[in-house]
Amino acid sequence: MMGYRDPQSVRRVTSIGAGPIGGGWAAHFLARGYDVCAYIHTEAERAALLQVIETAWTSLTALGLAEGASLDRLSITTDLKEAVQDADFIQESAPERLDIKQALYAELGRILPPDVVICSSTSGMTMTEIQADCPTPERTVIGHPFNPPYLLPLVEIVGGKRTDPAAVAWAAAFYEVAGKAPLVMKKEIPGFVATRLQEALWREALHMVANGEATPQDIDTALINGPAPRMAVQGQCMAFHVACGEGGMATNLDQFGPALKWPWTRLEAPELTRELRDRMVDGCNAIAGDRHFTEMAAERDAKIVAVLKALRD
């Protein structure tokens, strides 16, 4: 990767952000054997960051840690210059506010050596927007994870208008070395790939609840016992390809193509009325019962670990 350090040589990673994504990234990199410096905005965020990392460590240990992986390789600071000192790579997971990210990239662009790639975890902004005030925009890239980032392998990668294509290629190579499944996108689009697909499901779910066609429990029951297990081994495209036997996708489209005109989905989002909001909240609270979110997250992680182990084995 001309102009950038060898992805295999990365030893020290800086993770910016104390929330579930920033903390999740920090845990992932620690589990892969990197030295990680976590930047938090204030000391008040330290406890929340450590809670995310400690929760993640249980599942990461179950999956298997890389040689040399240790929580002792974590450092935490509120000083940005200290956080990025000697960093080989930056994973930014700052709050989803454009003004905050633009100011942060303006500063990072000034204080980091030019061969250090900066990746953003943003789920809703483009790198073209984020890099607007950065003096070195060529090395800024979107590296969008799927939550929780310490377990789910996907990272969606795309540059902005002023990003060097070599930085995009470097990011893909690095994430692969770091144990991720990189998806390099063809162009910038809001929501990337996986989130857009997830959003389509979400919008249809909201429509069904709004119209009294299903409850949140019905929707989750349908997904958990229907498409979800299959999607762990086949994506939507291959599921339909294999479902039609030897004819594959050609048979699928020729036979079921007319169904695309049937009213099986409503892609426009429904109006989020107070009534719909309350029905969704009440339905999800009923599913959760008296379980604390940490208990539910731990249960989720344990089951994801089981799926990942089964796929790996």
Side-chain angles (χ1 to χ4, degrees):
M1 302 293 173
M2 186 171 296
Y4 302 103
R5 57 194 69 196
D6 182 353
Q8 295 274 3
S9 72
V10 173
R11 295 292 178 266
R12 181 177 170 85
V13 172
T14 295
S15 176
I16 296 177
I21 303 301
W25 269 120
H28 169 77
F29 288 124
L30 286 167
R32 299 296 298 185
Y34 294 97
D35 293 316
V36 176
C37 184
Y39 170 75
I40 57 177
H41 188 60
T42 69
E43 276 296 326
E45 298 174 340
R46 180 182 290 264
L49 172 71
L50 289 174
Q51 183 180 54
V52 172
I53 294 173
E54 289 166 6
T55 298
W57 205 250
T58 299
S59 297
L60 290 166
T61 301
L63 277 174
L65 302 174
E67 183 178 356
S70 172
L71 290 174
D72 292 337
R73 299 179 74 168
L74 171 69
S75 59
I76 303 173
T77 181
T78 58
D79 185 319
L80 184 62
K81 289 185 178 179
E82 178 184 336
V84 303
Q85 186 175 1
D86 301 323
D88 301 314
F89 172 71
I90 309 294
Q91 184 72 48
E92 172 270 311
S93 308
E96 288 285 86
R97 279 181 43 189
L98 185 58
D99 59 332
I100 291 176
K101 288 189 185 291
Q102 286 179 337
L104 179 60
Y105 277 68
E107 180 66 12
L108 290 172
R110 286 191 291 269
I111 63 179
L112 278 168
D115 62 341
V116 176
V117 172
I118 310 166
C119 283
S120 178
S121 301
T122 182
S123 59
M125 302 176 194
T126 66
M127 183 46 69
T128 296
E129 295 172 314
I130 293 172
Q131 68 186 194
D133 298 328
C134 181
T136 54
E138 63 278 356
R139 41 76 173 274
T140 61
V141 182
I142 297 292
H144 172 245
F146 226 57
N147 196 21
Y150 52 87
L151 288 182
L152 297 180
L154 179 67
V155 181
E156 295 172 305
I157 301 165
V158 65
K161 289 183 178 178
R162 295 193 289 164
T163 300
D164 179 3
V168 174
W170 186 95
F174 167 69
Y175 282 127
E176 188 167 9
V177 170
K180 287 296 191 177
L183 187 164
V184 179
M185 295 180 57
K186 306 298 186 288
K187 59 177 67 175
E188 279 188 303
I189 56 171
F192 317 113
V193 176
T195 303
R196 290 176 76 98
L197 295 171
Q198 181 176 254
E199 179 70 11
L201 275 173
W202 177 235
R203 291 186 180 196
E204 189 60 30
L206 289 174
H207 275 297
M208 288 192 282
V209 173
N211 292 334
E213 299 160 351
T215 66
Q217 178 70 75
D218 295 335
I219 289 161
D220 282 1
T221 295
L223 290 173
I224 291 169
N225 296 285
R230 185 178 66 193
M231 281 189 171
V233 294
Q234 289 180 328
Q236 187 66 71
C237 297
M238 284 307 296
F240 280 10
H241 176 78
V242 173
C244 286
E246 292 185 8
M249 183 58 75
T251 295
N252 181 292
L253 293 176
D254 294 343
Q255 182 175 350
F256 297 106
L260 294 173
K261 298 294 185 180
W262 297 352
W264 282 3
T265 184
R266 319 165 179 92
L267 285 182
E268 289 293 328
E271 182 181 354
L272 186 57
T273 63
R274 182 71 187 191
E275 180 187 5
L276 175 55
R277 181 261 181 203
D278 289 346
R279 285 163 71 179
M280 291 300 301
V281 171
D282 292 344
C284 291
N285 284 340
I287 297 170
D290 59 1
R291 291 179 297 167
H292 191 264
F293 84 92
T294 54
E295 178 187 349
M296 291 186 288
E299 179 183 353
R300 174 203 65 191
D301 290 359
K303 291 179 177 179
I304 291 175
V305 166
V307 171
L308 292 175
K309 280 186 170 181
L311 292 175
R312 187 175 63 190
D313 295 342

